[in-house]
Amino acid sequence: MYGWCGRILRVDLTRGRITTEALDPGIARDWIGGRGFGIHYLRREVPPACDPLGPENKVVLATGPLTGTAAPTGARYVATTRSPLTGAITCSNSGGFFPAELKKSGWDAVIVEGSAPAPVYLWIDGERAELRPAGHLWGKTTHETDDLLRAETHAEAKTAVIGPAGERRVRFAALMNDRDRAAGRAGVGAVFGAKNLKGIAVRGEGEVALADPAAFKAANAAYRGRFKEKTRDNPPPLRLHGTAITVVGTQSHGVFPTRNFREGQFEGWEAIYGETLTRKYLVRPKACFSCPIACGRVTRIPEGPYRGEGEGPEYETVYALGSNCGVGDLAALTKANYLCNELGLDTISMGGAIACAMELFERGLLTEAETGMALRWGDGAALVELTRRTGLREGFGDLLAEGSLRLAARCGAPELAMVAKGLDFAGYDPRGEQGMGLAYATSPIGGSHMRGDPAYFELLGVPVAADPHSWEDKPPLIAKWQDVFCVIDAAGLCVFFSVRYLVEPDLMIRPVGITELLNGATGAGYTPEEVERIGERIFNAERLYILAAGFGRKDDTLPPRILKEPMPSGPAKGLVCRLEEMLGPYYRVRGWSAEGVPTREKLASLGLL
Ligand code: SF4
């Protein structure tokens, strides 16, 4: 096969057995890879009612045909599993260098199943793979584990590991690769911990075989050329200031979530946004494999109580640990970010849980006797300490580790958790971004922006502009965008490049560039229409899985704050999210019933019957 390696590595932790399977060419063509392979294998092998932290659950770690190639941002993989935070699926994706190394070692995917009787790690050395004892690694941070694994295996090996949070099954523990890159959302790290799997080290020196090297090279040069031309005189803001530059857009539109989504503008935004980060703490930008953008941040806090170094913060972290907790101290939130990376925590859900706790405390629904400290908006020291306690499940951290929804429900106020399907929102208030509300509510993993990020067209005009306050036009746009994101995640690409350079807005946002690169790599002869249909197939398959897990229309919703409490101030003042008006038309556009169930005709058209 070309583009694909043609091989799947299956790791049965219960029996300590590793086997190799051929990748079926039909499955490869129909699902592309990454997120597509994830849901294909999950539906086939993991009962939707299984205990996410039990041995029946599996984790599918899958690359795409473009992962490990010279395609711009061909750096990514997707970890798919049943989430211990939400009970839905999670298909968390990450970049860095681990995914390309996995592909170069000759594997399209690793399927992890069962549960090891004692801690182990997986060492993949090209075609050879073995499980090794990891008792000596248990309790180590992600950075310590990365150092030790590379010392024990190969100095150039790349790793994906859990920290103490994953070992303790914190429900939003992340799987961290290359030290600071996270398959962060909805608890992949906790599933690893429950399986006694500390991590994976991989070394691969092969090259991805291309079906038509000349066509691939031409497409690659053309799309990289577009990027170069556009950024020749103005370097991309993401390289200059990282994703934290996004604060400028969200603050000015009044959708920068502040104090648990009570407001949409933060008075301290200038102290925590991208340019301030660049000026105060940036050491250098950092790129993932084959990426011309380099949005990553290597940072250092040179002095003071939060002295340290690491990577981040990204925009979502600045919102979650910053404005949403009322924290305007960049050093404190950056330190909390470092702790999340080292302990192995999702920064978004960490911030969501702390913000929720701060509001519960303010309302008297949590007391100092329960929390062990006063929880006040803007308290950076409390933010850092609560993050540490959560990663170690110490004291009140043990409750935070259950996530914002379980915490709020325990205090009798589940409506104060800013979640969809139990997953904490990303950094955009849906009252001032109507499409984002629909995207959160219908995302198969819950409150994520990365399952079809409407901020591109609602805030940035990319690839087409849409009024962030209008709701009538959003259902078809969101459905289309969600399918395009499935394709990006299946191909092994990063959204940041793809949405600007690899889709054609004039052709109804058609993924023309992605199709050209896929064809050069695989020789599959896809048309853009077929690639779009695969995106739709992936999204519908994910929908079928969560329906079987008990989710439905009742869960395609948002908290009362977003639906009923008008935004108190700013450009979105007076608005609520018009989700109910959007949901029916969205279901119709999707070919789903009024209850949000794909019709037989739709499933037949997608080959899902
Ligand atoms: S744009 Fe950023 S996240 Fe995407 S591949 Fe490049 S460095 Fe990685």
Side-chain angles (χ1 to χ4, degrees):
M1 294 175 89
Y2 296 102
W4 297 287
C5 303
R7 297 190 318 160
I8 308 277
L9 187 68
R10 188 176 290 274
V11 181
D12 179 343
L13 292 167
T14 304
R15 294 175 184 77
R17 198 172 60 196
I18 297 177
T19 50
T20 300
E21 292 173 14
L23 173 64
D24 182 313
I27 290 172
R29 186 188 174 91
D30 288 352
W31 298 93
I32 298 179
R35 189 167 158 190
F37 285 178
I39 189 58
H40 170 74
Y41 284 104
L42 206 71
R43 282 187 73 214
R44 217 163 68 166
E45 301 187 10
V46 178
C50 76
D51 173 2
L53 296 175
E56 269 190 312
N57 198 7
K58 301 186 183 186
V59 186
V60 182
L61 306 158
T63 62
L66 299 179
T67 310
T69 70
T73 73
R76 300 191 79 87
Y77 85 127
V78 176
T80 305
T81 189
R82 186 166 190 227
S83 162
L85 182 69
T86 67
I89 63 163
T90 186
C91 41
S92 232
N93 78 55
S94 181
F97 289 81
F98 172 83
E101 196 80 8
L102 179 61
K103 186 76 176 290
K104 284 164 177 269
S105 74
W107 304 99
D108 293 302
V110 178
I111 300 176
V112 177
E113 56 193 36
S115 175
V120 292
Y121 72 87
L122 176 65
W123 165 225
I124 302 172
D125 186 9
E127 295 191 351
R128 291 184 299 116
E130 62 179 297
L131 288 168
R132 290 182 170 181
H136 60 300
L137 301 173
W138 217 246
K140 303 288 186 199
T141 67
T142 58
H143 289 187
E144 291 165 344
T145 306
D146 176 71
D147 288 340
L148 288 164
L149 281 186
R150 285 187 295 108
E152 289 179 21
T153 57
H154 192 291
E156 298 298 319
K158 305 291 183 278
T159 69
V161 305
I162 60 169
E167 294 170 10
R168 288 163 174 76
R169 307 181 187 194
V170 174
R171 288 185 186 271
F172 48 89
L175 178 62
M176 305 296 300
N177 62 278
D178 302 285
R179 300 170 81 88
D180 294 298
R181 286 273 158 192
R185 305 241 54 200
V188 181
V191 178
F192 261 53
K195 292 185 176 307
N196 263 332
L197 181 59
K198 182 66 177 173
I200 301 172
V202 62
R203 176 71 181 148
E205 293 178 289
E207 289 298 322
V208 180
L210 301 174
D212 186 341
F216 182 86
K217 199 172 166 190
N220 194 19
Y223 292 107
R224 282 183 183 267
R226 269 194 197 182
F227 170 80
K228 269 192 195 144
E229 197 178 309
K230 201 158 177 200
T231 57
R232 181 171 296 123
D233 299 325
N234 296 302
L238 288 179
R239 184 189 301 155
L240 291 176
H241 303 301
T243 57
I245 197 65
T246 307
V247 172
V248 175
T250 50
Q251 172 76 7
S252 65
H253 281 85
V255 296
F256 189 34
T258 298
R259 287 177 279 272
N260 206 29
F261 282 75
R262 292 207 301 216
E263 300 140 82
Q265 289 185 311
F266 181 48
E267 64 282 359
W269 71 275
E270 282 175 296
I272 59 175
Y273 87 126
E275 287 192 34
T276 306
L277 179 67
T278 302
R279 185 165 43 78
K280 293 181 80 169
Y281 303 134
L282 181 69
V283 176
R284 61 183 168 85
K286 187 173 175 183
C288 298
F289 176 86
S290 196
C291 173
I293 298 176
C295 78
R297 304 289 92 180
V298 176
T299 53
R300 180 169 54 235
I301 304 170
E303 58 194 7
Y306 305 124
R307 194 165 168 270
E309 57 186 286
E311 289 186 34
E314 297 195 15
Y315 169 71
E316 300 301 334
T317 307
V318 166
Y319 127 73
L321 298 171
S323 62
N324 205 35
C325 296
V327 171
D329 180 344
L330 183 58
L333 80 86
T334 301
K335 180 68 177 181
N337 186 166
Y338 294 163
L339 278 174
C340 284
N341 290 355
E342 290 161 25
L343 296 169
L345 291 163
D346 172 26
T347 59
I348 299 178
S349 286
M350 185 69 262
I354 293 174
C356 181
M358 285 177 166
E359 182 161 359
L360 291 166
F361 188 88
E362 185 182 63
R363 289 171 180 247
L365 297 171
L366 270 175
T367 65
E368 200 163 333
E370 293 168 287
T371 60
M373 66 175 86
L375 303 185
R376 308 259 185 244
W377 299 115
D379 186 340
L383 177 85
V384 172
E385 181 56 17
L386 289 172
T387 301
R388 190 190 68 77
R389 289 187 192 179
T390 302
L392 299 175
R393 277 193 181 268
E394 270 182 24
F396 179 59
D398 194 34
L399 275 181
L400 289 171
E402 293 295 295
S404 61
L405 182 58
R406 285 177 175 82
L407 171 70
R410 185 178 177 277
C411 296
E415 71 279 5
L416 294 183
M418 295 299 118
V419 298
K421 295 186 180 68
L423 185 67
D424 303 87
F425 292 154
Y428 311 85
D429 192 312
R431 289 172 291 189
E433 251 205 276
Q434 298 289 317
M436 188 63 83
L438 183 58
Y440 286 159
T442 57
S443 149
I445 76 166
S448 165
H449 61 307
M450 292 306 284
R451 302 300 172 279
D453 185 353
Y456 279 103
F457 47 79
E458 291 189 320
L459 302 186
L460 300 171
V462 174
V464 292
D467 177 356
H469 295 176
S470 71
W471 55 269
E472 298 89 338
D473 55 335
K474 296 299 160 56
L477 260 179
I478 296 298
K480 178 94 181 182
W481 210 217
Q482 287 171 328
D483 294 347
V484 169
F485 272 55
C486 286
V487 169
I488 295 168
D489 293 344
L493 296 171
C494 174
V495 162
F496 294 157
F497 189 93
S498 305
V499 298
R500 288 178 186 272
Y501 302 101
L502 298 179
V503 299
E504 295 295 332
D506 298 344
L507 297 171
M508 298 170 64
I509 324 180
R510 192 138 275 174
V512 174
I514 300 174
T515 307
E516 283 177 29
L517 289 164
L518 282 174
N519 285 337
T522 66
Y526 290 122
T527 62
E529 293 82 357
E530 185 181 1
V531 168
E532 281 180 328
R533 200 160 53 250
I534 294 172
E536 191 181 3
R537 177 180 299 134
I538 293 169
F539 197 85
N540 276 269
E542 291 172 345
R543 180 73 179 181
L544 290 176
Y545 191 83
I546 66 168
L547 288 171
F551 290 82
R553 179 175 180 134
K554 67 182 188 322
D555 306 294
D556 292 345
T557 191
L558 302 169
R561 172 160 297 163
I562 304 299
L563 298 177
K564 293 183 181 151
E565 287 179 28
M567 182 71 89
S569 57
K573 183 176 178 180
L575 297 179
V576 295
C577 181
R578 307 285 289 271
L579 178 65
E580 272 310 307
E581 288 95 328
M582 290 187 278
L583 209 50
Y586 171 85
Y587 287 167
R588 282 195 290 282
V589 167
R590 278 255 171 241
W592 295 356
S593 73
E595 288 307 305
V597 179
T599 60
R600 282 190 69 78
E601 296 74 36
K602 174 53 69 179
L603 294 180
S605 75
L606 296 172
L608 286 173
L609 275 183

